Amino acid sequence: MATPQTGIFALGTMSHAYLELDELPSADPHELVRLVASLREPRTTIGGVNLVAGFRPELWQTVAPGTSPAELRGFNEPIQGREGRPLPATQHDAVVWLTGGAYDVVFDASRGVVAALASHATLANEMVGWPYHRDLDLTGFIDGTENPTLVEATDAAIVEAGLPGEGGSVLLLQQWEHDADRWEGLPRAEQEAIIGRRKLDSVELDPRPERSHVTRTDQDRFGKIFRRNIGYGSVTRHGTIFVGFSRDRGRLDAMLDSMVGRGVEGRDRLTDFAHAVTGAYYFVPSSEALATFGAGPAS
């Protein structure tokens, strides 16, 4: 089987940067992919930084037909539920996700990436993230309780051998801003009812509230994904960067539909206190698929 990009599973890093890039109108998409692939070469890698690269599905299908899931498309339209804010579509052409032990090396690597790609792409959105008290999100609850173990994560996140895109992954990348003052003004019992778990030990409530976040994103129902969520922001504006890897887009779509109340009664109550600012799907090809572009200039 083709090998997934190793940074997907590189846990424990303390600094993260997500660089979303738009292809320049005059750019050759093959050359853009080649330039991104070349970032992985040892001569351009900053020590101690992991790099994961993904592409708008339509762009990857243009340069490497038949090497990604056939029906995969970008986040090209907002998702509107029965009430509340839609989930915005802010699709870009490529993403480079950098992680490291400290932000100085991630910062240097980020500048290097933007400079290396400047002839073919412009930086459209930059998100900088950091873990909050190791395993909490900025609601104060443990994040990733249902995440598969690393042994199970490959099955959840990586396209299986023999299928188009084997060794690759579908990435859903969203920035969710929290209404911190309203959230922190709630009593703990109300927060627990909204999340669907106890705050101190992350044990699920029994019975689970129907509109709780746990119920509306139930991986036993929709299928397992592998999350690498991280906190972001300033004192006044902050939240969660949702980083979800899946072997197919369908289970991610189903979770989003459930959250906004499409096909079910009411929406996820957490969306009263957090709203999506960005939304994009990327195909993260296998290391081998990406390496085929890194050997030399496109013909």
Side-chain angles (χ1 to χ4, degrees), residues 1-6 8-9 60 67 154-155 157-169 283-292:
M1 179 177 174
T3 308
Q5 294 185 44
T6 56
I8 294 172
F9 304 109
W60 181 261
T67 63
T154 298
D155 183 63
I158 305 302
V159 179
E160 64 186 290
L163 294 180
E166 68 171 271
S169 186
F283 181 62
V284 179
S286 70
S287 295
E288 291 84 354
L290 194 57
T292 62

Side-chain angles (χ1 to χ4, degrees), residues 241-264:
I241 302 172
F242 178 86
V243 185
F245 291 94
S246 175
R247 62 193 300 174
D248 63 73
R249 176 175 162 170
R251 58 188 66 182
L252 293 162
D253 281 339
M255 289 182 187
L256 294 180
D257 285 347
S258 176
M259 288 183 69
V260 301
R262 296 175 78 174
V264 291

Side-chain angles (χ1 to χ4, degrees), residues 36-70:
V36 173
S38 73
L39 296 171
R40 303 184 62 79
E41 296 296 321
R43 64 180 180 274
T44 61
T45 300
I46 304 298
V49 175
N50 298 304
L51 187 154
V52 173
F55 302 91
R56 177 169 55 86
E58 294 88 345
L59 187 149
W60 181 261
Q61 289 158 8
T62 295
V63 303
T67 63
S68 62

Side-chain angles (χ1 to χ4, degrees), residues 129-153:
W130 28 264
Y132 182 64
H133 295 288
R134 294 289 179 180
D135 57 0
L136 302 184
D137 69 18
L138 291 171
T139 65
F141 282 75
I142 296 172
D143 194 15
T145 301
E146 291 297 315
N147 230 15
T149 66
L150 283 179
V151 173
E152 303 166 329

Side-chain angles (χ1 to χ4, degrees), residues 154-274:
T154 298
D155 183 63
I158 305 302
V159 179
E160 64 186 290
L163 294 180
E166 68 171 271
S169 186
V170 178
L171 166 62
L172 172 60
L173 183 63
Q174 293 178 296
Q175 182 178 349
W176 287 80
E177 184 170 317
H178 297 183
D179 187 338
D181 291 340
R182 288 184 61 224
W183 176 257
E184 291 165 1
L186 297 175
R188 186 168 72 185
E190 183 67 10
Q191 291 182 355
E192 292 177 338
I194 291 168
I195 297 295
R197 293 184 181 278
R198 296 201 305 245
K199 195 167 188 177
L200 292 181
D201 57 14
S202 204
V203 172
E204 284 190 9
L205 301 184
D206 185 14
R208 297 185 309 188
E210 177 59 30
R211 291 180 56 200
S212 70
H213 185 59
V214 165
T215 300
R216 289 307 176 90
T217 60
D218 184 0
Q219 294 190 43
D220 290 331
R221 175 183 173 193
F222 298 116
K224 293 288 186 181
I225 64 172
F226 182 61
R227 292 185 293 163
R228 294 292 308 275
N229 297 359
I230 206 78
Y232 80 91
S234 64
V235 170
T236 55
R237 298 188 67 177
H238 51 259
T240 299
I241 302 172
F242 178 86
V243 185
F245 291 94
S246 175
R247 62 193 300 174
D248 63 73
R249 176 175 162 170
R251 58 188 66 182
L252 293 162
D253 281 339
M255 289 182 187
L256 294 180
D257 285 347
S258 176
M259 288 183 69
V260 301
R262 296 175 78 174
V264 291
E265 186 65 32
R267 56 190 166 87
D268 184 339
R269 289 188 64 201
L270 185 58
T271 62
D272 289 334
F273 302 91

